[in-house]
Amino acid sequence: MKQWSIPDNKALIWALIFIITLLWGYAWVLMKEALTYMGPFTFSAFRFGTGAATLLLIVWILKIGLPPKRYWKHLIIVGILQTSIVFLLVMYGLEFVDAGQSSILLYSMPVWSSILAVIFLGEKITPAKMTGLIMGILGLLTILGWDIWTGQSFDVIFGQLLIIKAALSWAAANIYYRLRVQELPKLQASAFQMFFGAIGITAATIIMEWGEPIVLNAESIYYILFTGVLASALCFTVWYIVISKIDMVSATISTLLVPIFGLTFSSILLDEQMTVGVVAGSALIIIGISIATISKKEGKDG
């Protein structure tokens, strides 16, 4: 069976993290805009159907083959946790919550991943990692501001809770992947988990949105192709490589860059306001990531 991986080069790994977080940040704008053309579940079915088809085609071209049968149930579980649950909840939540705030809530994921990594993977959170994590979460709370605590309608609170549940599901998927699926080629694992996840999303779409209007034009097709091929097929494959190369805490802390990019793109493209709190919170997140990763490198060199 052919393997597809990258060298154990820290600079390359962090360059890949930067690229995928940038693409994920931009994808939040497209996910929000797509709701003007179709229902949230319908868009997710198109997105991940496209992503899965892209990856399966690459797997076929590279002659990677099918995963061994003993891995199928694990890939189904990862697909349900990583793709079906996360993006059904996120896309439905986006009907009630702004794109920028939604991205912030989903990226509470590092907190849950770090806790689960300690419990199930036996990872240790060093003082530097803990400091970085706390600063990152303080950054998210600073960006959210007081609006999350006061004056929210029931619909907005409901949407926020859905997205936090999505963050928990993503964290669980990260841990389960490391425990049960990590030995598989990353392209193969990404392709088949996304395939199974897309089946779950399609089933939910048929039940919840059958017969609802769908507008397919140049703009909506662009949203589907960008989020399906780049933000899903490419980025999640690279994400599985990243979490197999570095510890879970460092990897997940790095995803706190996504809300910064999401808010920046939302400000430019959706005219969402870039406040002092957003700038200050972004600075805290970047400092937190730097503390966690630079201290880790120095510790290894010593």
Side-chain angles (χ1 to χ4, degrees):
M1 183 183 295
K2 292 187 178 183
Q3 295 280 344
W4 184 80
S5 188
I6 61 172
D8 289 323
N9 182 302
K10 292 296 181 184
L12 176 59
I13 290 170
W14 284 101
L16 290 173
I17 287 173
F18 179 83
I19 291 169
I20 64 174
T21 52
L22 182 68
L23 293 175
W24 276 340
Y26 176 56
W28 279 96
V29 174
L30 305 188
M31 288 157 60
K32 182 72 173 180
E33 291 289 274
L35 297 178
T36 61
Y37 296 103
M38 62 195 76
F41 295 172
T42 302
F43 173 74
S44 295
F46 277 125
R47 172 184 176 176
F48 289 101
T50 301
T54 301
L55 285 175
L56 289 172
L57 177 62
I58 294 171
V59 165
W60 178 72
I61 290 171
L62 296 179
K63 296 181 171 60
I64 294 174
L66 296 174
K69 289 184 179 179
R70 67 181 182 276
Y71 286 104
W72 282 62
K73 65 179 180 181
H74 301 309
L75 288 167
I76 291 171
I77 291 170
V78 173
I80 291 170
L81 290 172
Q82 175 73 76
T83 300
S84 300
I85 294 176
V86 171
F87 288 95
L88 287 172
L89 293 178
V90 163
M91 289 304 299
Y92 193 54
L94 272 171
E95 295 206 282
F96 310 105
V97 185
D98 288 343
Q101 190 181 93
S102 298
S103 67
I104 295 166
L105 292 170
L106 183 62
Y107 287 90
S108 64
M109 177 271 289
V111 178
W112 317 121
S113 283
S114 298
I115 294 169
L116 293 175
V118 171
I119 296 171
F120 294 103
L121 300 181
E123 290 190 2
K124 294 182 179 179
I125 301 184
T126 64
K129 289 180 189 175
M130 181 59 72
T131 301
L133 186 62
I134 290 171
M135 290 192 72
I137 298 307
L138 287 175
L140 294 183
L141 293 174
T142 302
I143 292 170
L144 283 171
W146 289 106
D147 286 346
I148 193 171
W149 311 113
T150 59
Q152 298 279 32
S153 69
F154 173 79
D155 285 349
V156 172
I157 294 171
F158 175 68
Q160 290 169 344
L161 290 173
L162 290 180
I163 295 168
I164 291 170
K165 288 180 180 178
L168 285 163
S169 185
W170 186 2
N174 289 336
I175 303 303
Y176 196 87
Y177 174 87
R178 281 280 293 269
L179 287 172
R180 303 297 184 191
V181 186
Q182 184 168 291
E183 297 82 8
L184 290 177
K186 303 304 176 283
L187 271 171
Q188 187 183 66
S190 188
F192 283 91
Q193 74 81 17
M194 196 172 292
F195 171 71
F196 292 125
I199 291 174
I201 290 174
T202 302
T205 303
I206 292 170
I207 295 169
M208 301 298 294
E209 294 181 356
W210 184 260
E212 291 191 11
I214 301 172
V215 178
L216 291 176
N217 55 25
E219 196 167 3
S220 62
I221 291 171
Y222 166 70
Y223 297 158
I224 291 167
L225 290 177
F226 185 95
T227 58
V229 176
L230 295 179
S232 299
L234 172 66
C235 286
F236 280 108
T237 300
V238 175
W239 174 246
Y240 290 135
I241 294 171
V242 167
I243 64 175
S244 68
K245 294 288 185 180
I246 62 176
D247 65 275
M248 187 65 67
V249 177
S250 295
T252 53
I253 288 174
S254 71
T255 63
L256 293 171
L257 288 170
V258 176
I260 297 175
F261 292 134
L263 286 160
T264 301
F265 285 121
S266 295
S267 175
I268 296 168
L269 301 174
L270 301 180
D271 294 323
E272 293 183 6
Q273 189 176 6
M274 183 68 76
T275 64
V276 174
V278 168
V279 175
S282 299
L284 283 171
I285 289 171
I286 292 170
I287 293 169
I289 293 170
S290 300
I291 290 171
T293 57
I294 292 171
S295 297
K296 180 173 179 286
K297 186 187 292 184
E298 288 175 353
K300 280 195 171 184
D301 291 343

